[in-house]
Amino acid sequence: LQKLIRLLQATDDPLIQEKALISLSNSAAFSVNQDIIRNLHGLSIIGGMLSNCVPKVKEKALNALNNLSMNITNQEEIQVYITEVCRNVESAPLNSDLQLAGLRLLTNMSVTSDYHHKMINSIPCFLHLLSEGSERTQIQVLKVLVNLSANPAMTRYLLRAQV
């Protein structure tokens, strides 16, 4: 894991970045590896890939963060990327793998109400995706919206959203 993280830091080659992120994502399926990746400062390195200009690299970084977000301690670090993830979801092509990867991460990050306030500005986008997206996109958006709607503090934002 340490070598993968170092490789991710050291290379500018999008193909190598993509492969390293896939490996980290697969490794993050195991809870012991989630802690190791966090302790190696891997969350910030993977999070840094969200600003990469290559959509496939962003998508793989979102997938890795999604798997890593199954850990509450990791969520505390990942939450700093929520606004950027929302921007990626809004700017990604409709129904793209990049958009779906972002929505999956937002679903995990919205299971508890701790970070709902960071998604308020994206509610109009979520509602737009609900009406314009494919079935896969709609299902993923609904998961985010259901999580948000479970928080009474979000009611007014959900009801007042301009679509």
Side-chain angles (χ1 to χ4, degrees):
L1 292 174
Q2 187 175 36
K3 288 181 180 184
L4 280 172
I5 292 168
R6 285 185 181 160
L7 177 64
L8 195 55
Q9 273 184 300
T11 186
D12 289 329
D13 184 331
L15 190 58
I16 293 172
Q17 290 172 334
E18 192 178 335
K19 299 297 182 192
L21 287 165
I22 290 169
S23 296
L24 287 167
S25 181
N26 291 340
S27 297
F30 302 97
S31 57
V32 67
N33 290 342
Q34 294 170 3
D35 294 331
I36 292 170
I37 292 168
R38 180 184 65 251
N39 292 333
L40 292 171
H41 307 288
L43 296 175
S44 61
I45 294 164
I46 295 167
M49 296 284 116
L50 296 178
S51 58
N52 194 296
C53 60
V54 179
K56 279 291 185 192
V57 172
K58 281 186 198 183
E59 175 198 336
K60 302 309 182 203
L62 288 165
N63 288 337
L65 289 174
N66 182 47
N67 286 348
L68 289 161
S69 73
M70 302 306 287
N71 176 312
I72 296 295
T73 307
N74 285 354
Q75 282 191 3
E76 293 171 9
E77 288 190 38
I78 293 170
Q79 60 94 15
V80 301
Y81 302 107
I82 289 175
T83 304
E84 187 172 2
V85 173
C86 288
R87 280 195 305 267
N88 279 323
V89 167
E90 292 176 29
S91 64
L94 184 63
N95 306 318
S96 64
D97 290 335
L98 174 59
Q99 190 173 62
L100 287 166
L103 288 168
R104 281 191 296 272
L105 175 56
L106 292 175
T107 299
N108 282 350
M109 294 301 293
S110 64
V111 168
T112 66
S113 61
D114 296 344
Y115 311 115
H116 286 181
H117 64 282
K118 294 183 175 245
M119 299 179 203
I120 289 171
N121 291 334
S122 294
I123 291 173
C125 172
F126 298 152
L127 295 172
H128 171 76
L129 292 175
L130 187 59
S131 67
E132 298 296 321
S134 67
E135 185 176 330
R136 283 179 37 187
T137 301
Q138 290 173 340
I139 289 169
Q140 207 57 57
V141 169
L142 280 172
K143 290 178 181 182
V144 175
L145 290 171
V146 164
N147 289 345
L148 295 177
S149 70
N151 179 356
M154 295 301 292
T155 303
R156 75 171 184 231
Y157 299 106
L158 290 165
L159 294 176
R160 289 183 181 170
Q162 297 295 314
V163 183

